[in-house]
Amino acid sequence: MDRLEAMSLFVAAVEDGSLSAAARRSGVPLATVSRKVSELERHLKTRLLNRTTRRLTLTDAGHAYLAACRRILDEVGDAERTAGGEYSAPTGELIITAPIVFGRLHVLPVVTEFLAAYPLVDIRLTLGDRISQLAEDHIDLAVRIGRLPDSRMVAIRVGSIGHVVCASPAYLAAHGIPRVPGDLETHSCIAFESLGSPATWTFAVDRADLAVPVRSRLRVNTAEAAIDAAINGVGLTRVLSYQIVAAVRSGTLRSVLREFEAEPWPVNLVHEGQGRLPVKLRAFLDFAAPRLRKRLARATW
């Protein structure tokens, strides 16, 4: 039995929730995954997993063994990266995730510059608004917008972005400009569902948060759709400031209620930060952080 392979498949089964999911992730037949895990249990003379038709659960022995497997596999991976020169020169693949619009507007340009400067590093950039789990999804670095929960992750702040209410000049000319948040009750609104509740928008009034009811005549699940609908005069929308810089500068959108904007959200580069960082990750952090700070400082009007 290849013990390390069996450990890897066991960990994948636990992290992915099923033997079939582990087989898909590993590119190994399901029968092989099941056999390897069973061989591991026979070798250890104990059951690691309770199997049902719907899910896998760890036994007490499985919990302890999972932690040991992760530690051993991390140490093996660390040794292989050291032998391969990953800790002596920037080389290998770097996996990065970022929100869709922010990634396209700001992260991708920095990534292309980095690739030109470091020809031995390859990057896989995944853009998505779902919050990925770095360890489980095998991600080296994530760009996160918003307040971070307490965790073991290391965060490097590169700036902040605010929430902005905006509409087309034509809409504002026809329906009037809201002067205080309460005026929104009489306006048509476009809700970007990923940014918060479609029924209320939160503003800062007298140093406190105020939730204002809004009439969402249109609900969309991407910022691009909300912005396009606002440009077309459907109503007011509320998005993040960097998403409408070009539209405001070109005059196709106009921001309102700026004095009532809620506290800006921080933008951070987040990584696990456990142990010695691979040189490729340290090189990218040193390269990207100052460039993203400059880009965010310019992303205003």
Side-chain angles (χ1 to χ4, degrees):
M1 177 181 61
D2 184 331
R3 195 93 52 86
L4 288 177
E5 180 188 19
M7 286 179 175
S8 296
L9 293 174
F10 166 64
V11 171
V14 174
E15 291 180 345
D16 294 343
S18 70
L19 297 176
S20 57
R24 287 192 297 272
R25 188 217 286 193
S26 306
V28 175
L30 173 58
T32 301
V33 175
S34 180
R35 176 171 55 82
K36 293 285 186 180
V37 173
S38 295
E39 287 176 352
L40 192 59
E41 289 178 320
R42 285 196 297 273
H43 173 76
L44 297 170
K45 297 182 175 59
T46 187
R47 181 174 291 279
L48 300 173
L49 296 169
N50 293 314
R51 301 165 175 82
T52 69
T53 56
R54 292 189 175 183
R55 61 174 184 156
L56 298 176
T57 57
L58 286 164
T59 64
D60 289 343
H63 277 289
Y65 192 66
L66 176 66
C69 286
R70 283 173 168 160
R71 184 178 64 254
I72 291 167
L73 293 171
D74 284 346
E75 289 176 355
V76 170
D78 190 64
E80 290 177 343
R81 287 189 291 271
T82 299
E86 193 169 301
Y87 289 119
S88 58
T91 184
E93 184 181 55
L94 196 60
I95 301 174
I96 301 171
T97 182
I100 294 173
V101 179
F102 188 87
R104 177 173 55 83
L105 293 178
H106 296 295
V107 179
L108 183 58
V110 172
V111 164
T112 58
E113 291 181 42
F114 179 83
L115 290 173
Y118 292 88
L120 297 181
V121 179
D122 300 326
I123 290 180
R124 175 148 56 95
L125 176 62
T126 300
L127 302 183
D129 292 328
R130 179 182 70 87
I131 299 297
S132 301
Q133 301 302 314
L134 271 63
E136 289 82 351
D137 295 332
H138 306 284
I139 294 169
D140 297 300
L141 181 71
V143 180
R144 295 276 169 83
I145 298 174
R147 298 173 185 86
L148 297 171
D150 292 336
S151 72
R152 297 177 301 166
M153 301 297 175
V154 176
I156 300 173
R157 185 158 177 167
V158 294
S160 61
I161 54 177
H163 301 75
V164 179
V165 177
C166 58
S168 69
Y171 175 88
L172 295 174
H175 301 277
I177 300 173
R179 301 297 179 184
V180 296
D183 292 344
L184 293 174
E185 295 184 30
T186 63
H187 282 270
S188 298
C189 294
I190 306 156
F192 171 29
E193 293 178 333
S194 297
L195 200 57
S197 167
T200 60
W201 290 350
T202 302
F203 296 88
V205 178
D206 296 329
R207 298 184 180 181
D209 289 341
L210 175 67
V212 176
V214 295
R215 182 190 177 197
S216 296
R217 297 211 59 213
L218 175 64
R219 298 183 185 184
V220 297
N221 65 345
T222 69
E224 295 96 328
I227 292 166
D228 288 346
I231 291 172
N232 289 326
V234 175
L236 293 144
T237 193
R238 186 169 183 259
V239 292
L240 295 172
S241 55
Y242 74 90
Q243 297 169 334
I244 60 165
V245 170
V248 170
R249 288 177 178 170
S250 68
T252 54
L253 285 178
R254 178 179 171 186
S255 63
V256 298
L257 301 174
R258 294 295 301 273
E259 63 269 35
F260 299 103
E261 289 176 11
E263 182 181 354
W265 279 356
V267 181
N268 289 288
L269 302 179
V270 179
H271 61 90
E272 287 196 283
Q274 298 178 14
R276 186 169 43 150
L277 290 182
V279 175
K280 61 182 179 181
L281 178 55
R282 172 50 57 197
F284 186 82
L285 290 170
D286 292 342
F287 186 94
R291 286 166 173 80
L292 287 173
R293 289 189 185 103
K294 288 181 181 178
R295 294 184 69 90
L296 283 172
R298 294 196 302 262
T300 187
W301 53 84

